[in-house]
Amino acid sequence: MLQQQVVQVDEQAQRSVRVCIDAAAIVLVAFSGLFSGLNLGLMSFSAEDLKIIIKGSGDPDERVWAQKILPLRDRGNLLLCTLLLGNTLVNALIAILLADVASGTLGAIVTTGLIVIFGEITPQSVCSRHALVVGYYSLPLVFLFVIVCFPVAFPISIVLDKLLGREISGVFSRQMLVSLINLNVNDPEHAKETDLTANDARLLRGALTYKDRNVGDVMTPLANVFS
């Protein structure tokens, strides 16, 4: 009788431990997805992009989100190192926790499937489209991990800053700007977002390309002039 009670207690303890491990694995997969999504979403915005949104966006919410994210994004390499360290750490913990569930090939398949589907593909798809709002609401957690990873992330970020120099993005030549204008006008989805018309595009293209034109290209032949 006593032996049966001991066995039941052991089984209950094992079930409790299993539930705790499963819950921890779910939380870690969520963290993995968050880090992966923010790595794609936040790093796709440069500090210049956020400043443009702050000064020129018609959406008040986007201006607020960009304003809050900008101080963190200004330290691009520190943010990058923090997100990568956090993602690597939680992925390693997931593999350790799930090693007890299934070993060998099955364990590798389960761990890889969880990380790829719920820790990489899904969050990156979401953050690529809603990076500002996800980044804004994740800021407290990101700042917490910046503090936790600071002893490792900060020295690495300083080395990257010295080696790579200042991060510069959003630089376009005149021809690239013309192509960008054409894209934003000719594509229906882009035109809907930018609110640019064909007449706007004509004026902008003219302003960007007038230096390359000869007077004869734009003047009206005298034979066609009415006076």
Side-chain angles (χ1 to χ4, degrees):
M1 187 69 178
L2 180 61
Q3 185 176 3
Q4 290 179 347
Q5 291 178 347
V6 171
V7 171
Q8 290 177 353
V9 170
D10 289 340
E11 290 178 350
Q12 291 176 355
Q14 289 177 359
R15 284 197 295 268
S16 298
V17 171
R18 184 72 270 157
V19 169
C20 292
I21 291 176
D22 292 341
I26 293 172
V27 172
L28 289 174
V29 170
F31 275 114
S32 175
L34 178 64
F35 287 128
S36 179
L38 291 177
N39 186 35
L40 175 66
L42 291 184
M43 298 307 296
S44 65
F45 287 105
S46 67
E48 289 84 359
D49 294 331
L50 294 174
K51 290 174 183 176
I52 290 171
I53 294 173
I54 293 168
K55 294 178 181 178
S57 174
D59 189 332
D61 289 336
E62 288 187 352
R63 291 200 296 268
V64 172
W65 299 336
Q67 185 73 55
K68 294 294 185 180
I69 293 171
L70 181 59
L72 184 62
R73 185 59 185 85
D74 264 334
R75 301 301 302 270
N77 285 324
L78 178 61
L79 174 61
L80 177 64
C81 292
T82 299
L83 294 176
L84 291 178
L85 285 171
N87 197 23
T88 303
L89 177 62
V90 297
N91 286 344
L93 290 175
I94 291 170
I96 293 172
L97 286 177
L98 295 182
D100 293 334
V101 179
S103 59
T105 304
L106 179 59
I109 293 174
V110 171
T111 304
T112 302
L114 283 174
I115 293 174
V116 170
I117 296 174
F118 299 105
E120 298 289 341
I121 296 175
T122 302
Q124 288 193 20
S125 298
V126 173
C127 287
S128 66
R129 292 166 175 78
H130 307 287
L132 278 178
V133 61
V134 174
Y136 171 74
Y137 285 107
S138 303
L139 279 178
L141 186 60
V142 175
F143 274 116
L144 174 62
F145 271 90
V146 168
I147 295 172
V148 172
C149 299
F150 191 83
V152 178
F154 181 70
I156 298 175
S157 69
I158 292 297
V159 172
L160 291 175
D161 289 338
K162 296 295 184 182
L163 291 177
L164 302 178
R166 178 172 171 263
E167 182 182 359
I168 300 177
S169 61
V171 178
F172 298 94
S173 66
R174 280 191 297 157
Q175 189 55 49
M176 291 171 66
L177 286 172
V178 170
S179 299
L180 186 60
I181 292 168
N182 292 335
L183 173 64
N184 285 323
V185 172
N186 296 331
D187 185 276
E189 293 296 327
H190 284 77
K192 183 180 178 180
E193 292 293 329
T194 61
D195 200 29
L196 284 175
T197 65
N199 190 50
D200 295 331
R202 183 178 62 82
L203 293 174
L204 291 170
R205 284 194 298 263
L208 289 169
T209 60
Y210 81 95
K211 289 184 178 181
D212 301 326
R213 296 180 177 232
N214 296 319
V215 175
D217 297 331
V218 297
M219 65 185 297
T220 302
L222 189 59
N224 297 334
V225 174
F226 175 80
S227 61

